[in-house]
Amino acid sequence: MWFMRQAGRSLPEYRRVRADVPMLEACARPDMITEITMQPVRRYDTDAAIFFSDIVVPLKAIGIDLDIKPGVGPVVDDPIRDADGIKRLRDLEPGDIPYVTEAVGQLVGELGDKPLIGFAGAPFTLASYLIEGGPSKNHEHTKALMYGEPELWDELMRRLANITLGFLRTQIEAGASAVQLFDSWVGALSAEDYRASVLPYTSWIFGQLTEYEVPRIHFGVGTGELLSLLSEAGADVVGVDWRVPLDKAAQRVQPGTALQGNLDPATLFAPWEVVADRTRDILSRGRAADGHIFNLGHGVLPSTDPTMLERLTAFVHEETAN
């Protein structure tokens, strides 16, 4: 078990380290990456560490003018909506992100037998930030490009797939034991649109990673209707948010696919008895899958009490000890 966003704003030690340090600067300092990644492992004794970074780090590294604004998220100064803009997206080279290689090496040394999970943002989610200029509820500019200019969309997604692959490869070659591909916004699409306009690029990324023989996790939010396609893309593990019970999700993914999830992060604000009951139910339903990694159905909420996550980690370990 591990938690998405287990290293982050819910931890007082994280807030102390990040005080007055902008997010993208923190993501480019190996010492800070290592410390923040290790904080929840020390506090919670999770079974894995997740590399501290952000999905837009590789875009920043190739020269895209963007920033992460507190309370907003990634904001792109000059959104990409035409062929000239897409030409700005060059391939990512290991030399663009030496701090990633250094930090992964440090972490592998500190973690010992405990695995480090690398991660990257998937092409659709990166495309949405680049096209919209920031977070979007409706993704209207993104969908307009996808629907109306398929050749331009193909070029954009190919370039982003290459960038994503480069980011994942750098982490794996530096020592990451597994990788997770986040497609945070892909739940905004229908299954038909996903199959036509996203699946080919995600499948290509997972196919390119087979040579490394590391577990590959795929996760999106609001993707209950897309679980079969997320699995078809080629991941070994499919993350499930809290909207679909794991036993139902197990029926939707490809045979041999493990599941990850899926406690609603908001549950952690309820009394402990509720958290324990819901966790038992998830562990029970997870037995229907070909493997289960316990996690939340999305990231740890910033105001979550860390002691609740400590208690939850111990509880899951106790319940699954035999």
Side-chain angles (χ1 to χ4, degrees), residues 215-216 231-232 234-238 249-260 288-292:
R216 298 156 300 167
S231 176
E232 189 179 324
D236 305 291
V237 184
V238 171
Q251 299 170 8
R252 301 182 186 183
V253 297
Q254 302 292 312
T257 304
L259 297 181
Q260 176 179 279
D290 291 325
H292 176 212

Side-chain angles (χ1 to χ4, degrees), residues 254-285:
Q254 302 292 312
T257 304
L259 297 181
Q260 176 179 279
N262 68 338
L263 184 69
D264 185 341
T267 307
L268 297 171
F269 295 83
W272 168 250
E273 293 74 18
V274 175
V275 177
D277 286 346
R278 287 178 173 252
T279 299
R280 284 194 196 96
D281 182 63
I282 288 167
L283 293 173
S284 176
R285 292 176 185 271

Side-chain angles (χ1 to χ4, degrees), residues 159-287:
R159 290 185 183 233
L160 290 174
N162 269 307
I163 291 167
T164 295
L165 178 63
F167 197 46
L168 292 173
R169 272 183 167 158
T170 298
Q171 293 170 71
I172 294 169
E173 291 176 0
S177 301
V179 290
Q180 173 159 296
L181 189 63
F182 283 88
D183 215 345
S184 306
W185 300 126
V186 79
L189 297 181
S190 68
E192 182 178 352
D193 286 337
Y194 180 89
R195 178 176 290 283
S197 302
V198 177
L199 179 61
Y201 312 99
T202 307
S203 296
W204 180 80
I205 293 169
F206 283 129
Q208 294 296 308
L209 293 175
T210 55
E211 64 178 294
Y212 295 105
E213 298 184 346
V214 299
R216 298 156 300 167
I217 308 168
H218 196 17
F219 175 74
V221 184
T223 52
E225 296 301 318
L226 303 179
L227 288 175
S228 174
L229 292 167
L230 293 180
S231 176
E232 189 179 324
D236 305 291
V237 184
V238 171
V240 184
D241 71 15
W242 65 92
R243 298 171 177 87
V244 180
L246 289 183
D247 52 343
K248 301 296 184 185
Q251 299 170 8
R252 301 182 186 183
V253 297
Q254 302 292 312
T257 304
L259 297 181
Q260 176 179 279
N262 68 338
L263 184 69
D264 185 341
T267 307
L268 297 171
F269 295 83
W272 168 250
E273 293 74 18
V274 175
V275 177
D277 286 346
R278 287 178 173 252
T279 299
R280 284 194 196 96
D281 182 63
I282 288 167
L283 293 173
S284 176
R285 292 176 185 271
R287 296 188 183 101

